[in-house]
Amino acid sequence: MSQIEDAMKSVPEFKAFLKDSDYTKARDVVIHHQSTRDVVYEVEDVVDLVNKAKEKKGSSTNPLPATTTSLLVNQEFMRSLAHQVVHVKSLLESFPYTHNGLKRQIYTSEDVIECILSLKNPLGVSSFKWEHQLKIAEKLKLTAGAVDCIKSNHPVNCVHQLSDSSTTVGSSSRRELTSKYDVVGIQQDLSKIKRLLTRPPYNLQVLPIVGMGGIGKTTLVKLVYSDKLIMEHFEIRGWLTISQDYSVTNIVSNLLASMKGIQAGRGVQSKISGEEEIHSCLRYRRYLIVVDDVWSKKAWDDMKELFPDDYNGSKIILTTRLQDVAAYADHSNSFHMMRPLSPKASWELLKKRVFGGSCPHILKSVGREIAAQCRGLPLYVVVVAGLLSKVDQTVDAWRQIAEGNDGQLDTKISLSYIHLPHHVKSCFLYMGGFPEDHQIRVSELIKLWAAEGFLHPNGSKCLEDEAEDCLEDLVDRGLVLVTSIKPDCKTRSCSLHDIMRDFCIRQSRRENLLLPVLDYLPSPILRRHFLPLVMTNYKRISVSWYDLDLKDSMHTSCTHSIICIPCKGYRPKGSLENFSLLKVLHVLRRNDYWDWEPSQVFDLIHLTYLAVNIPSSIVPPTISQLHNLQTLIIYRSEVRLPVEIWRLSQLRHLIAFSFHPLPHPEVEAIPLANLQTFSLAMNFVCVEMIPNIRKLGICYSEEKFGEGYHLRLLSNLFSNLFRLEKLKLERHSSFCGSLNLAFQFPLSLKKLTLSGWKFPWSHMKIVGSLPNLQELKLRKYACNGKWWETSKRDFVNLRLLLIDESNLQHWIAKSRHFPQLKCLMLLRCPDLPEIPIALGHIPTLELIEVDDCNKSLFKSARKIRRIHRLNFGDGLHVRTMRS
């Protein structure tokens, strides 16, 4: 529906003039298109208010022209309106009109249903006096987009004003993967792709997007992929990134992971079974698959059979730098070619990246010059903007950047690299050791940086905090991409653009920092003959497990760090016996199996960092030899650690999918004073051994840890953990009764996850009283009962609240109970009919997320959003998750 049509329905004469059948027909067409649900609901509210106003004051009819009416009720036109969305820079100036009995203030988001520009005074209603011609930035485009029009209505006489839809979403501090900056200069591309995805034909279509590296292909597709209408138009979506060195097995595994939200590779035992699982997921469902960064025709041949064609409008987006690959995938040769940004758009993107808006007048001339040097490539602009944001905002400083910029990307990255602090340079180059397109887990990356000695404690900050600051700096400079974020808005995973990665590889070779073997010697034969020779100059390497079998090499003792890349198809006996001085061994977390001798690893007495899978769940007692070990990560469940683990006094992080209950320490054992992270421990009792723990995950599952024994134990456990900041407590037991929360949590706690405990809701007062608590996640009936009423001094610093799987029916709360709340997530709460309306008066609230099973909860969330926008503007989003 367009804004003009929406305005028509808000006029009392409109509904009265239409025939009931025509009005119902038009309404049903729009409702059928799910993206316009919000508008339809709000229109009904407007009609109700207007009818009430008419009953009180009365009003005369002023019929609309027949031509306008027939236009509105035409089904084809209505369907077209449901797809008409345009991203507008400067939408409208105010256009006042007078109408007795109605006042409306319309707040619009970035994507709005555009009006019919070619019609002047389309309503034909004398009470509308158009004093200004509508001014817009672009022509009307048929496209698919989100509908997010929030209206408030008051039946009084005054002036109607339409707010500028180009205004950004409130003052949100949430880090988004795509921002308002990403759409600068690509609005037309965005509109075209969304239109192509949602219109006929209905047979399976491949939509190739072609352009040189750094031109914004992936950014464009991310915006399309996360668009509200696209998410609702397609039943299932999947994202697949194809590197130059790919395997079909990994393609199958990663695609399943993307579609089903599981860890890559889990549940996929073979190529055939994986293909069958993909077919079962996609069959008879309208799907959208993104195949990003395809480099060859063979790559497309290897994957195209994975996608069934059920003639239901499914689509595949394929991005590539090669036109012949695009033409091969789409025989109609109708691929979309990405064009460079215009100088004006480049400057617009640059100044928004640096200043967030307007630029000081004194810097505009040199700023435009720098933007023009970027040759219209967004990646170039982002890198230069990251550099400019870190230097002095003076003409001289900017002029130096302009004079040192010869228009080549290497120069731009080099300029930004030169301005990095010394320790940040090493951290950045080190990331080039990960494979192309690999999503790097930030939790592991910061531990690696610390283990490599790149960082040093700074005042009150530990190494891990310094690493987080370092990553934030690289992201701000545009050198590192954020690929996923946590609910607290911190980065969960990141990656390097392949152009950035190429720079890291070249620069790290110059500085002898790290050698990515697979890039330097792509052929296995070359690696077999020359790898021992080239390794003599590098302390750090990234290499495949296959290439570690270097028994004949006499030069590997200089290698201190290995990033190991498991390779499908190879099953040799890996060997580490020649790496006697190895300090860091990080095996990428993949669903690959390889043979090796555990004794080889536990003989490496210099190890400070070890992240591996192990053939057996039993860790041998020889681990006691690793006196320098600081980080131990094992990609396995029910890991059995020996009692000798308590001898590793340098341990900082002890992590596995789950640990079997730890043995009691020996009498003379000294507490692990350096241990900061321990997860996931089963039935943990040795609290006196971890006095300085910061992050702790425990799962209680045995019957002996029933209602009496383990609750007393927990009370003693937490009373001594004065530095604990993050706690995850799970309860897996056949004992299904409810428990009392009979223990106190440490006041230092910032993040708390409870699962399966069935505590009474009234006992949440104990949790709510924690002064530093910022995140609370209640999963799998963490609390049991129908009523929850919070009080005034509860949750004073809570930012995120998640309730996932609950029998809660009534929730009573006031805005002052959650004064800092930003994110509210309510999933699998079928009995909860509404969210406390008072939450709409929390100024910090930015997101409400519900699943699509509870319609009344979604309607309640929309009501809260309406109240929030009246009070604080367009800063609250309501999002639904597919159940």
Side-chain angles (χ1 to χ4, degrees), residues 366-593:
V366 64
R368 288 192 177 95
E369 181 181 341
I370 294 173
Q373 293 174 343
C374 294
R375 300 191 298 171
L377 294 181
L379 179 63
Y380 290 31
V381 178
V382 169
V383 172
V384 174
L387 173 59
L388 294 175
S389 65
K390 300 297 182 179
V391 302
D392 295 336
Q393 306 300 311
T394 63
V395 175
D396 290 341
W398 281 39
R399 177 57 60 190
Q400 290 181 7
I401 301 298
E403 292 174 353
N405 189 359
D406 62 3
Q408 300 299 316
L409 180 59
D410 256 6
T411 304
K412 294 176 176 63
I413 301 177
S414 295
L415 283 171
S416 187
Y417 175 75
I418 290 170
H419 283 78
L420 289 174
H422 178 73
H423 67 285
V424 182
K425 289 180 181 178
S426 299
C427 293
F428 176 53
L429 297 184
Y430 188 79
M431 297 177 70
F434 291 89
E436 180 185 4
D437 299 321
H438 181 71
Q439 290 200 20
I440 307 169
R441 297 171 185 267
V442 171
S443 60
E444 295 178 359
L445 179 64
I446 61 178
K447 293 179 179 67
L448 279 168
W449 284 346
E452 293 287 0
F454 297 149
L455 304 168
H456 303 283
N458 181 15
S460 60
K461 289 187 176 181
C462 64
L463 290 176
E464 289 76 13
D465 291 338
E466 283 292 313
E468 288 186 2
D469 293 343
C470 176
L471 179 62
E472 188 74 23
D473 189 19
L474 291 171
V475 170
D476 290 343
R477 294 175 185 267
L479 299 175
V480 172
L481 302 174
V482 175
T483 56
S484 67
I485 57 175
K486 300 177 184 177
D488 62 357
C489 307
K490 291 185 177 181
T491 305
R492 185 191 306 277
S493 65
C494 61
S495 68
L496 290 178
H497 191 284
D498 51 5
I499 293 177
M500 293 295 177
R501 183 173 178 272
D502 290 342
F503 173 85
C504 288
I505 291 173
R506 291 192 299 270
Q507 189 66 27
S508 62
R509 282 182 55 199
R510 295 189 190 105
E511 300 184 15
N512 290 337
L513 180 82
L514 181 143
L515 176 67
V517 172
L518 297 180
D519 295 274
Y520 186 65
L521 298 171
S523 166
I525 297 177
L526 290 176
R527 294 198 295 273
R528 175 57 55 184
H529 288 87
F530 296 105
L531 181 56
L533 179 63
V534 300
M535 285 174 56
T536 58
N537 295 322
Y538 294 92
K539 293 183 178 181
R540 304 177 183 91
I541 63 171
S542 67
V543 66
S544 74
W545 182 257
Y546 172 77
D547 296 311
L548 286 181
D549 188 16
L550 301 173
K551 296 180 181 179
D552 298 331
S553 172
M554 301 299 294
H555 307 285
T556 55
S557 60
C558 66
T559 303
H560 291 175
S561 301
I562 295 177
I563 297 176
C564 183
I565 304 167
C567 294
K568 287 285 187 179
Y570 295 116
R571 292 294 182 270
K573 282 281 187 180
S575 173
L576 294 169
E577 62 186 22
N578 291 320
F579 298 91
S580 57
L581 298 181
L582 196 65
K583 294 182 178 180
V584 174
L585 176 58
H586 179 76
V587 181
L588 298 189
R589 187 186 303 186
R590 292 186 178 178
N591 191 38
D592 298 301
Y593 300 94

